[in-house]
Amino acid sequence: MFRERFWWSLILSIPVVIFSPMVAHLLGYPLPEFPGSTWIPPVLSTIIFVYGGTPFLKGGWKELKSRQPGMMLLIAMAITVAFVASWVTTLGLGGFDLDFWWELALLVTIMLLGHWLEMRALGGASSALDALAALLPDEAEKVIDGTTRTVDISELVVGDVVLVRAGARVPADGTIIDGAAEFDEGMITGESRPVFRDTGDKVVAGTVATDNTVRVRVEATGGDTALAGIQRMVADAQESSSRAQALADRAAALLFWFALISALITAVVWTIIGSPDDAVVRTVTVLVIACPHALGLAIPLVIAISTERAAKSGVLIKDRMALERMRTIDVVLFDKTGTLTEGAHAVTGVAATVGVTEGELLALAAAAEADSEHPVARAIVAFAAAHPEASRRRIRATGFSAASGRGVRATVDGAEILVGGPNMLREFNLTTPAELTDTTSAWTGRGAGVLHIVRDGQIIGAVAVEDKIRPESRAAVKALQDRGVKVAMITGDAQQVAHAVGQDLGIDEVFAEVLPQDKDTKVTQLQERGLSVAMVGDGVNDAPALARAEVGIAIGAGTDVAMESAGVVLASDDPRAILSMIELSQASYRKMIQNLIWASGYNILSVPLAAGVLASSGFLLPPAAAAVLMSLSTIVVALNAQLLRRIDLDPARLAPTSPKEEHTTPTPASTAVH
């Protein structure tokens, strides 16, 4: 709306300015004259007033009715007074010289530009709730008398049994009554690895069965599901964080009362001293110039340039208030998996029994895992491919099979090879050899996932698989702390895993074993301690916390829901981009304040001059001069905002990593069950 009205108003403003006697006199060019030329400014300006000014007139009326004056009422007052005064002059009523047609046209046009830039910077309305709803399938396979029938999920009731095939989403919360499968719960928990669910285990609507088909008894549908609960928390949190008033609106409210009181005083004083004509001219001039072009552009220009600069640095600003709040953040709360860590498993330790080399062990394990799509399997295959000895052993497996939650089985070089975790050892009554116990216990103690390799019934070695900490995370934590910002971490992982990561990174506070629905509560707890919180996450379970925090920051590689719930989205996985956001917030806030001081300062000085406070000394600010000064004020504000383009937001400069950190051995960040 603002874009279309701006372009049409701009086109119509050009002839208004060209045919304005005031502009022609100021610039010293002869006014073009032909029959009807004198009616060009009033006719075209009237069209601009009605077409371009309607949003401001409606907004001003709304603010007036709510008794909350702001930018809209200030603009509406100025353009209405200019419109009425200009028609009075054009029609020759009262003999006043108050031709503000060109000022009216430019005022409407520039204010439309400012609001267009502001709306474009803000982006569209958040679609977080739609993204959450999209996680649910539209239909479900309901089991009736041993057969299945496709029904709409709205038809499901508690007690129904549904068939969830491999690759399909669970339509409702429930319990598995037949079968077992690994479920991708990343869209709910944000965790990277699939979770094994057996008969009797509960499953959540929206999660995906990755490898097997199961039957689920429905225990909650519609608004009673865990996903619906998250949906409600997002809606509540978004509402609670949207009550802050924009900086420019606060300035506009103050300026409105300043202009109105100044106009009333002007009218009364000039009338008392016996000059009613001057009272009208001075009062109208005060009301027209009280709405500065500069104030209308002060914040939108800074926001537009800031969002552009941020985008080039991989930071997408979705909420203008997030930009303002980031400079006041006391603590940054990071989700662990996929944020501080890479969210992908890697082999971090290898131990072989006597008589078996490390390369041989890895080659056998990689061959057995080659046909598996499991994240842990891919980590083993990738590690073996990079190993000098293992990569030279070109062996292949046959007879591959996978057992969910236990491991894989294959024949390699004529031997039966098993690769799996604790469940596999229990199934085959295997005991870890004494020579491996100390190593595997140390791995388990720090939270690593331990996979054993079995050849023909004998354990020949083990590997540790962990989620790697990003090399940039350490630099990000240190740089934030150097700026006086506390760093906290939140995760659903066990205490030992979480504290190992927290200690390694030097994090100030760690929240471990936090259930998905409780992350929002942890943000509230921090806020109740008087801290301003920036939450960084990537999963659906992070969405309510992202919306609740003063600033929600989503990792770009995360889920759509997390990105829609956040006020800021990082295009990359680099947590150091938080520093770019803080740097930009501080710089843009300085520019906002500078622009507001200039724009409001102009008014504080020009309004009294226009009112005639120096009339006794022979100085009266002509309406034309006031209008010109107003335009110059706009230019100053625009040039000042352009200086934001010089800011260096490179995360590598703000939080450099050392070469040693770039090659750090992966640190435990999550347990792995294969």
Side-chain angles (χ1 to χ4, degrees), residues 555-619:
I555 294 291
T559 65
D560 289 342
V561 176
M563 289 189 284
E564 292 295 345
S565 302
V568 180
V569 177
L570 305 183
S572 70
D573 297 334
D574 190 345
R576 296 179 301 173
I578 305 298
L579 277 300
S580 301
M581 181 64 182
I582 293 176
E583 187 84 0
L584 181 64
S585 175
Q586 293 173 341
S588 61
Y589 186 77
R590 284 195 301 269
K591 291 301 175 188
M592 288 181 188
I593 295 299
Q594 290 167 6
N595 280 355
L596 286 176
I597 289 174
W598 179 268
S600 302
Y602 156 78
N603 276 62
I604 292 173
L605 292 175
S606 62
V607 166
L609 292 176
V613 294
L614 297 180
S616 59
S617 58
F619 179 80

Side-chain angles (χ1 to χ4, degrees), residues 163-380:
L163 186 71
V164 181
R165 300 183 185 275
R169 291 188 184 275
V170 179
D173 290 0
T175 300
I176 298 175
I177 61 172
D178 183 24
E182 289 198 331
F183 283 79
D184 179 2
E185 299 181 351
M187 67 289 298
I188 298 296
T189 65
E191 301 301 318
S192 57
R193 69 185 189 279
V195 178
F196 177 69
R197 300 295 184 199
D198 207 341
T199 301
D201 290 339
K202 293 185 180 298
V203 292
V204 179
T207 57
V208 180
T210 61
D211 55 353
N212 286 325
T213 298
V214 296
R215 281 178 166 78
V216 176
R217 180 186 294 112
V218 175
E219 295 179 348
T221 62
D224 297 326
T225 63
L227 191 62
I230 294 176
Q231 201 169 3
R232 285 191 295 272
M233 284 191 289
V234 171
D236 293 343
Q238 281 182 333
E239 172 141 357
S240 70
S241 66
S242 65
R243 295 171 186 161
Q245 189 179 24
L247 194 60
D249 291 335
R250 297 198 294 270
L254 294 173
L255 197 54
F256 168 79
W257 291 113
F258 172 71
L260 193 60
I261 293 171
S262 298
L264 290 174
I265 293 174
T266 301
V268 171
V269 171
W270 281 98
T271 301
I272 290 175
I273 63 177
S275 184
D277 289 347
D278 284 333
V280 174
V281 172
R282 295 290 110 202
T283 301
V284 169
T285 303
V286 166
L287 290 174
V288 172
I289 69 171
C291 179
H293 304 59
L295 185 59
L297 284 178
I299 301 302
L301 267 179
V302 171
I303 291 174
I305 294 174
S306 296
T307 51
E308 177 190 338
R309 290 288 296 113
K312 290 182 179 179
S313 301
V315 179
L316 175 62
I317 308 295
K318 296 178 56 195
D319 178 5
R320 67 177 175 182
M321 296 307 295
L323 187 66
E324 182 180 337
R325 293 189 191 110
M326 196 65 195
R327 66 185 180 83
T328 65
I329 290 301
D330 300 311
V331 57
V332 176
L333 179 62
F334 286 98
D335 175 54
K336 179 182 70 63
T337 306
T339 304
L340 291 175
T341 67
E342 294 185 355
H345 294 91
V347 175
T348 59
V350 181
T353 56
V354 176
V356 180
T357 66
E358 185 178 289
E360 179 184 3
L361 180 72
L362 287 171
L364 291 172
E369 296 277 22
D371 291 336
S372 174
E373 290 300 317
H374 196 286
V376 171
R378 292 195 292 270
I380 293 174

Side-chain angles (χ1 to χ4, degrees), residues 321-322 324-333 484-486 523-535 548-551:
M321 296 307 295
E324 182 180 337
R325 293 189 191 110
M326 196 65 195
R327 66 185 180 83
T328 65
I329 290 301
D330 300 311
V331 57
V332 176
L333 179 62
V485 179
K486 293 182 179 294
V523 173
T524 302
Q525 289 176 1
L526 287 171
Q527 291 171 333
E528 288 174 348
R529 285 157 50 183
L531 299 173
S532 180
V533 183
M535 169 72 189
R548 179 76 63 186
E550 276 76 10
V551 180

